[in-house]
Amino acid sequence: MSDKLLNGQVAVVTGGGRGIGKAVSLELAAHGAHVVINYSRSADAAEALKKEIEAAGGSAETSAFDVSDSAQVDEVLKALIKTHGKIDILVNNAGIALDNLLVRTKDEEWERTIAVNLSGSFYCARAVAKTMMKARSGRIINISSVIGESGNAGQAAYASSKAALIGLSKSLAKELASRGVTVNAITPGYIETDMTSDLGEGATEGILAGIPLGRLGKSEDIAAAVAFLASPHASYITGQVLGVNGGMYM
Ligand code: NAD
């Protein structure tokens, strides 16, 4: 339908099959975008989501690649650009949290966290930059974290990867602005997903005490912010860090 904000646009959502990524895929599709739902392992969840989007009258496809594998990212995104002629929106959402205290953190945990959360976002942004620059328009939205802003005990690797993602976003925003491409970061607070499901009894109460709005976030809260940044309403916004955190960090 021509009155939808993102009609005719092609959006790639990494890790788009579940959690926050699923809500983002649904929201962008509801606004008329054709959504490429990336997944690394959960093909079934991605396929089910594609069907859900189509049943609601939207358009989607699934795409398997590991964001931390630069060659795979280049190959798959190149093929997508060939098929669709462009990619208008990239949402770097894929992420992992391998939390551990500093002295217990293994090299592999540190390296994998940086590889997925930071390098993965860099590889995907690099792979779509040319087509966006050529089109003189494009949106890159990086899902960072409140932890990248505040830091957190037991999350050195995760916090470092998410803080670095903010530096990446601002640098790309400066570099790509003259070509009409905006780059922004969203820093979710505590969002109810698989990633935060094993907190244990009592932990949620402690977390709630630190959230002025008095509730955990929903994936839909993040999806709404992504859709805004992807929309024409946000055409004058770049290099920004949008906290969607219930006031948890100001
Ligand atoms: P989730 O674990 O439910 O989803 C993460 C997604 O990333 C999954 O679809 C997973 O398959 C995908 N993924 C992981 N490694 C991948 C790889 N190598 N290649 C491709 N896909 C890969 O987590 P979520 O809570 O939905 O988190 C989504 C994003 O939001 C993450 O970047 C996370 O760090 C960030 N975030 C989450 C919260 C929260 O409270 N849940 C808070 C702040 C930031």
Side-chain angles (χ1 to χ4, degrees):
M1 292 222 300
S2 58
D3 59 342
K4 289 188 175 171
L5 279 179
L6 303 179
N7 192 54
Q9 303 214 8
V10 178
V12 174
V13 183
T14 67
R18 69 164 211 241
I20 291 171
K22 177 179 177 180
V24 169
S25 296
L26 284 166
E27 184 72 11
L28 296 181
H31 284 291
H34 171 77
V35 180
V36 179
I37 307 162
N38 156 254
Y39 66 94
S40 56
R41 264 170 284 183
S42 329
D44 290 353
E47 274 305 320
L49 179 58
K50 168 179 144 61
K51 290 203 177 94
E52 188 180 336
I53 287 172
E54 286 170 347
S59 171
E61 69 185 273
T62 61
S63 176
F65 59 90
D66 178 341
V67 297
S68 71
D69 182 332
S70 129
Q72 231 181 78
V73 167
D74 281 348
E75 188 187 319
V76 175
L77 290 181
K78 198 171 164 189
L80 282 168
I81 291 164
K82 198 168 175 205
T83 304
H84 297 287
K86 59 174 185 170
I87 290 173
D88 303 285
I89 300 161
L90 167 67
V91 184
N92 280 316
N93 164 80
I96 55 169
L98 304 174
D99 301 340
N100 222 335
L101 293 173
L102 173 65
V103 295
R104 291 199 194 143
T105 302
K106 298 188 181 76
D107 289 0
E108 300 78 55
E109 290 170 331
W110 169 267
E111 282 156 14
R112 186 68 192 148
T113 306
I114 300 295
V116 175
N117 297 2
L118 178 59
S119 304
S121 301
F122 166 76
Y123 297 147
C124 292
R126 189 177 58 184
V128 301
K130 266 193 200 149
T131 187
M132 287 185 177
M133 287 193 287
K134 211 168 127 199
R136 301 217 153 247
S137 81
R139 299 293 161 93
I140 299 175
I141 299 158
N142 294 323
I143 308 298
S144 174
S145 170
V146 66
I147 301 302
E149 299 174 293
S150 65
N152 199 22
Q155 292 199 292
Y158 184 74
S160 301
S161 71
K162 293 298 189 178
L165 197 46
I166 293 174
L168 176 69
S169 306
K170 291 182 179 179
S171 297
L172 298 188
K174 287 191 173 174
E175 190 171 323
L176 303 179
S178 65
R179 310 297 185 93
V181 179
T182 69
V183 187
N184 291 287
I186 291 174
T187 50
Y190 238 102
I191 312 300
E192 288 179 283
T193 67
D194 289 352
M195 193 177 266
T196 52
S197 63
D198 57 354
L199 290 174
E201 290 284 312
T204 308
E205 277 167 34
I207 290 162
L208 283 177
I211 303 175
L213 284 178
R215 68 168 175 89
L216 298 183
K218 296 185 194 329
S219 292
E220 291 75 17
D221 294 319
I222 307 306
V226 171
F228 166 65
L229 288 174
S231 79
H233 297 313
S235 62
Y236 199 53
I237 299 176
T238 197
Q240 301 305 303
V241 182
L242 178 55
V244 183
N245 61 25
M248 179 178 177
Y249 179 87
M250 300 180 186

